[in-house]
């Protein structure tokens, strides 16, 4: 078992990625991701990581370069944030269609405009339908663990899909946390070498990224959809294996005090820990409050969500992104459609909060609960409300 | 003796017989670009990986589930062929160093049209060249966005009529001079930059071989006649390329470590550009005065180039 050390989360993530013995990293600087790039390049410069560190001239080229490198059969990594992720957007569905097991850290940050460098989820949400596996970390330890697991999931022969590990910008990336870093021996034992299905090498020439019109396109989309859905089985296996080895549990949907809760709150990412304190406070007052934490965003865990919310009367879904003029925040829309056909389901409320780094405290979560518990029809269910907005 | 006119005598002995871009692709009849790609593959040989931009050459060669490529080939998007190539190069380099693949030298080649090189792919190319990857980038320049329907690019020559810079009652077609891409690459201080044209196959093959022998980035700008987009007879594609060279519209030269050399194929005396313009529909609307002003520019640009070749000579020229 590794030592418990205090590390900034970005540095810890870079250390974890180095333990995975990547062959290539192509990263472009952007706040709040940059420390990952900086630390990886330091590890390469010091001879601690034998990899090519490609200092690309944009995030578009970062994703292009890791696609090329992964196509060549190299274990390839990148990291980005916000505008950088938006610039990569064009290439994300290409990477998944080409079934390239790239892994990427996303230091989640608000998308401009106005320009903002702080945390919300408006960068990852537009990438929802790119065909990537998307997971969220709640704390530094999870950021490390998910980063290592990501390679194993992505490269599994039944998956062969890119994975993004979402780490809330600043609120998580820039925290110095006590973390347990696995040893090199442990990671080597957990993560086998990457054995690609086909590579860009003259030993066996292949064509990658061919052109397909209406006669094949639908079948290729269906195949990708099946691949994303089927990846869940491998994700669960990898998490089980991780738990056996490291005694830390990962589930697509995790809960806190949810079994007997009348009112549930749903969060994704680093807000989970703050919300947990709010649950403790409410429980101390005798309120039957509970928490649902969504870890796996794609493939979406329909069955798990249905199972954990079915006995609650009210469900508050929180979103850190806006779907302007839409049906509610992106997480809310998903949860609502997941529960539509259920005969027994809670009334669902949606709060949009914590945008562009707006601070969210325990008090805010307690406030949401109090408002919804007291609601007798005044707070519109099935639509969305901005929490804490000045009007 | 003119080598090209006696090509049949030379070709069997000088050129790799193996086809690495196989027949059955869907290029237009008389496409000089696909001829250039085929020659390039012959010059590169089997130990090659190609990263292609979206464009004519990509769609004609890779219609799923078929492929014309006998070498490893990847296409990702329009603007990123150079970035993809740089990633392939970095990946192969790491794998070879770590003993995970055969210990053999593989040349990585990025390719794109004029749009994918000079416009939308410009940044990715500049970045890849500046980073010094061991790769060749070849621009197959047919002087407009032919794949999408003959729209103008920064590679379109002054006066050419295209679908987005059409000749009309108050317009004479393209209003800007062609971007001087080879000089921009020279300014990147890459070890080798050359211009080429498949109408001069031996010169083109030699330049590809030269680029292949260089450990580091090199750039080849290949003039590719497009009968469809230029509205010229398809059987004249090769002679049209020769006219572009003979008139100085597209001079053949190479720059090795900053030293300029004109190709021996360049004539002592340039032909007038009207000889080149006359059978192309894209120039048909031009008046004698307009052609004259373009002639002046071509003459002065060629003079600049010959001066560079004179003052920045290669040692063995």
């Amino acid at each position: 078992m590794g030592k418990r050390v205090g590390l900034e989360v970005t540095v810890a993530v870079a250390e974890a990625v180095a333990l995975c013995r990547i062959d290539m990293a192509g990263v472009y600087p952007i706040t709040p991701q940059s420390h990952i790039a900086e630390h990886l390049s330091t590890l390469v410069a010091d001879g601690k990581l034998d990899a090519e560190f490609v200092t690309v001239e944009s995030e578009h080229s970062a994703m292009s370069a890791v696609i090329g490198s992964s196509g060549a059969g190299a274990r390839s990594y990148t990291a980005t944030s916000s505008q950088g992720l938006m610039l990569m957007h064009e290439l994300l569905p290409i990477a998944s269609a080409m079934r390239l097991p790239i892994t990427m850290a996303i230091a989640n940050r608000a998308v401009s405009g106005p320009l903002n460098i702080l945390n919300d989820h408006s960068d990852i949400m537009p990438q929802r339908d790119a065909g990537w596996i998307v997971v969220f970390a709640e704390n530094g330890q999870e950021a490390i663990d998910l980063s290592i697991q990501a390679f194993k999931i992505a490269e599994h022969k039944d998956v062969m899909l890119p994975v993004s590990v979402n780490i809330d910008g600043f609120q998580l990336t820039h925290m110095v946390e006590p973390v347990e870093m696995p040893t090199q021996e442990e990671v080597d034992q957990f993560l086998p070498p990457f054995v690609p299905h086909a590579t860009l090498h003259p030993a066996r020439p292949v064509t990658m990224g061919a052109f397909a019109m209406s006669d094949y396109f639908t079948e290729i989309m269906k195949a990708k959809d099946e691949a994303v859905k089927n990846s869940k089985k491998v994700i669960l296996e990898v998490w089980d294996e991780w738990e056996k080895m490291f005694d830390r549990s990962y589930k697509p949907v995790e809960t806190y005090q949810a079994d007997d809760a009348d009112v549930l709150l749903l969060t994704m990412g680093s807000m989970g820990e703050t919300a947990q304190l709010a649950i403790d406070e409410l429980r101390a007052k005798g309120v039957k409050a509970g928490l649902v934490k969504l870890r796996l965003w794609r493939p979406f865990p329909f069955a798990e969500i249905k199972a954990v919310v079915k006995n609650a009367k009210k469900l508050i879904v929180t979103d850190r992104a806006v779907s302007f003029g839409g049906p509610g925040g992106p997480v809310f829309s998903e949860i609502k459609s997941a529960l539509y056909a259920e005969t027994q389901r809670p009334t669902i409320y949606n709060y949009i909060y914590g945008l562009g780094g707006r601070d969210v405290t325990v008090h805010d979560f307690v406030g949401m609960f109090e408002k919804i518990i007291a609601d007798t029809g005044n707070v519109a269910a099935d639509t969305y409300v901005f929490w804490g907005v000045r009007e | 003796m003119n080598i090209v006119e006696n090509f049949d005598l030379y070709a069997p002995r000088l050129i790799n017989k193996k086809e690495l871009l196989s027949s059955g692709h869907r290029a237009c009849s008389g496409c000089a670009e696909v001829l250039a790609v085929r020659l390039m593959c012959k010059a590169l040989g089997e130990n090659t990986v190609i990263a292609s931009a979206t464009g004519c050459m990509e769609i004609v060669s890779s219609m799923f589930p078929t492929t014309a490529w006998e070498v490893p080939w990847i296409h990702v998007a329009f603007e990123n062929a150079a970035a993809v190539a740089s990633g392939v190069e970095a990946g192969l380099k790491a794998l070879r160093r770590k003993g995970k693949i055969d210990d053999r030298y593989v040349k990585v080649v990025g390719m794109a049209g004029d749009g994918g090189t000079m416009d939308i792919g410009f940044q990715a190319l500049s970045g890849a060249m500046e980073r010094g990857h061991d790769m060749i980038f070849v621009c197959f320049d047919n002087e407009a966005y032919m794949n999408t329907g003959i729209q103008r690019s920064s590679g379109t020559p002054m006066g050419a009529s295209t679908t987005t810079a059409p000749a009309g009652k108050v317009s004479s077609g393209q209003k800007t001079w062609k971007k001087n891409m080879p000089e921009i690459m020279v300014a990147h201080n890459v070890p080798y930059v050359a211009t080429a044209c498949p109408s001069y196959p031996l010169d083109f093959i030699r330049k590809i071989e030269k680029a292949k022998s260089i450990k580091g980035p090199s750039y080849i700008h290949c003039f590719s006649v497009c009968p469809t987009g230029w509205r010229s007879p398809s059987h004249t594609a090769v002679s049209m390329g020769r006219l572009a060279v003979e008139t100085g519209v597209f001079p053949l030269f190479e720059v090795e470590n900053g030293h300029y050399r004109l190709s021996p194929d360049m004539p002592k005396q340039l032909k007038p550009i009207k000889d080149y313009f006359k059978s192309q529909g894209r120039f048909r609307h031009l008046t004698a005065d307009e052609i004259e002003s373009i002639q002046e520019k071509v003459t002065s640009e060629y003079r600049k180039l010959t001066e560079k070749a004179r003052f920045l000579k290669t040692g063995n020229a």
Side-chain angles (χ1 to χ4, degrees), chain A residues 124-167:
Chain A
I124 182 62
M125 288 304 158
Q127 325 308 329
R128 186 189 66 182
D129 298 332
W132 283 53
I133 293 167
V134 184
V135 293
F136 277 81
E138 190 182 336
N139 55 44
Q141 188 65 55
E142 291 190 2
I144 293 171
D145 294 356
L146 291 168
S147 295
I148 300 169
Q149 295 157 8
F151 290 98
K152 183 148 178 162
I153 293 166
E155 293 168 5
H156 193 285
K157 66 176 174 41
D158 297 338
V159 178
M160 292 300 285
L161 284 169
V163 176
S164 77
V165 177
N166 288 263
I167 307 163

Side-chain angles (χ1 to χ4, degrees), chain A residues 345-361:
Chain A
R345 60 182 163 98
T347 308
I348 317 169
Y349 301 85
N350 187 203
Y351 280 119
I352 289 168
Y353 74 132
L355 300 181
R358 176 69 59 88
D359 200 20
V360 179
T361 63

Side-chain angles (χ1 to χ4, degrees), chain B residues 11-233:
Chain B
R13 278 183 291 130
L14 296 174
I15 297 175
N16 180 6
K17 284 200 186 67
K18 185 147 179 151
E19 296 294 347
L20 296 169
L21 179 79
S22 65
S23 59
H25 58 71
R26 295 151 193 249
C28 303
S29 62
C31 172
E33 188 170 348
V34 83
L35 170 64
V37 176
R38 181 175 157 226
L39 291 171
M40 174 187 80
C41 288
K42 283 176 174 289
L44 289 168
E46 286 170 318
N47 287 323
T48 306
V49 178
I50 295 177
S52 173
T54 307
C56 288
M57 292 303 101
E58 173 257 328
I59 61 144
V60 304
S61 66
S62 76
M63 177 69 94
F64 187 82
T66 66
T67 181
W69 297 97
E70 302 282 350
V71 289
W73 180 90
I74 181 170
H75 157 254
V76 179
F78 194 1
E79 67 279 55
N80 64 352
V84 174
S86 75
V88 173
E89 189 264 351
L92 290 176
K93 193 172 168 186
L95 293 174
R96 192 176 171 203
R97 183 173 65 232
K98 294 177 172 190
K100 293 182 183 174
I101 54 170
D102 293 2
D103 185 23
R104 68 165 120 166
Y105 182 67
V106 175
K107 194 77 185 189
V108 178
V109 178
M111 60 177 273
D114 45 296
T117 302
M118 300 159 77
D119 291 347
I120 198 168
F122 189 73
Q123 172 184 315
L125 175 59
S126 178
M129 293 286 115
E130 175 273 324
R131 292 193 297 273
H133 294 276
D134 183 10
M135 60 180 266
I136 310 173
F137 193 90
V138 187
C139 170
F140 293 98
D141 179 7
N142 56 19
E143 304 200 309
Y145 291 93
M146 300 311 185
N147 189 40
T148 47
I150 324 169
Q151 295 86 9
R152 66 83 74 185
S153 76
S154 63
T156 304
M158 173 69 90
S161 183
T162 58
T163 55
T164 53
K169 282 182 183 154
V170 294
S171 167
S172 292
Q174 178 87 341
K175 294 178 178 63
T176 51
W177 298 106
K178 183 182 178 79
K179 190 188 274 185
N180 193 338
M181 196 63 199
E183 286 293 358
I184 293 168
M185 287 294 108
V186 170
H188 280 67
N189 284 320
V190 296
Y192 187 66
V193 174
T195 64
C197 174
S199 302
Y200 297 84
L202 301 185
D203 179 74
F204 178 45
I205 286 171
R206 187 187 63 77
K207 285 168 175 169
I208 293 282
E209 283 171 347
K210 175 94 192 169
K212 188 185 164 187
S213 74
I214 285 164
K215 300 283 179 288
S218 54
Y219 176 82
I220 293 180
H221 195 101
C222 179
F223 192 74
S224 308
V225 176
C226 174
T228 308
W230 297 7
R231 286 177 282 138
S232 56

Side-chain angles (χ1 to χ4, degrees), chain A residues 11-82:
Chain A
V11 172
V13 165
E15 291 277 346
V17 167
L19 289 174
C20 297
R21 302 186 188 276
I22 56 166
D23 299 308
M24 184 274 196
V27 198
Y28 187 78
I30 184 169
T31 303
Q33 170 281 119
S34 303
H35 290 183
I36 297 178
E38 289 170 12
H39 195 66
L40 273 176
S41 65
T42 304
L43 292 172
V44 172
D46 289 341
K48 290 176 182 162
L49 169 62
D50 184 8
E52 289 296 308
F53 187 85
V54 183
T55 52
V56 280
E57 83 301 327
S58 71
E59 288 90 352
H60 195 281
S61 284
M63 185 47 63
S64 302
V66 293
I67 287 173
S69 157
S70 184
R75 184 172 279 168
S76 306
Y77 181 78
T78 188
T80 191
S81 235
S82 182

